[in-house]
Amino acid sequence: MTTFHETRPNAATKPVRWAADAVAAMREGARLRLDYSAQSLWRVDRMIEGIRQEGAPYAAVESVLRGFGAYAGEVMVRQAGAEWWTTGGDHWIRTPDGRMWDPIDEARRCFHGDGSLRLLCRDAARAAKTP
């Protein structure tokens, strides 16, 4: 029998790295400090909005968006007691209530003007507290 603790490192390896890369890039390039708090997702949402308003093509920012989504997922892991899951090459967050969340796809929706990593994290944290 495989336990969560035995499988999580495999599911979390890539998104944890993507999140750390996003944190480093924002610290070095934009002088923006991301601290894995729910409040920091306000800044991430604003960064994505700024990129969108600049008219950057999706292909040029795809990896940045993946990093922002992974960062939001790590915030959810830390704030809501969630865990990373992977299936078919996609990475998801599973909250203790069993719900699955897709912060990487939410970052893409933010870029297209229809999403919020801050609100996704808020909703996941609320769902995790509700029996």
Side-chain angles (χ1 to χ4, degrees):
M1 177 175 192
T2 303
T3 66
F4 162 70
H5 296 290
E6 291 171 338
T7 59
R8 184 192 191 273
N10 291 334
T13 300
K14 286 182 180 180
V16 167
R17 185 179 67 238
W18 297 332
D21 289 348
V23 168
M26 290 299 99
R27 182 181 61 243
E28 295 168 14
R31 303 279 188 238
L32 179 66
R33 182 167 162 73
L34 299 177
D35 61 3
Y36 293 95
S37 67
Q39 295 81 8
S40 69
L41 294 175
W42 281 92
R43 291 184 292 259
V44 174
D45 278 347
R46 286 194 308 259
M47 288 294 295
I48 294 172
E49 176 64 18
I51 293 168
R52 185 177 71 79
Q53 288 180 350
E54 289 174 5
Y58 176 77
V61 297
E62 184 175 8
S63 64
V64 171
L65 295 173
R66 182 185 65 201
F68 283 150
Y71 173 78
E74 271 301 292
V75 171
M76 293 166 71
V77 165
R78 296 173 188 205
Q79 300 293 319
E83 55 195 31
W84 282 103
W85 286 72
T86 186
T87 180
D90 293 327
H91 294 81
W92 299 76
I93 294 291
R94 183 174 186 259
T95 50
D97 64 350
R99 291 183 63 184
M100 301 295 279
W101 306 81
D102 190 348
I104 294 172
D105 191 54
E106 187 71 12
R108 293 179 192 121
R109 284 193 294 275
C110 290
F111 178 72
H112 294 294
D114 186 33
S116 169
L117 293 172
R118 176 186 59 85
L119 294 178
L120 182 75
C121 183
R122 182 200 66 190
D123 292 348
R126 283 184 182 167
K129 291 178 185 177
T130 305

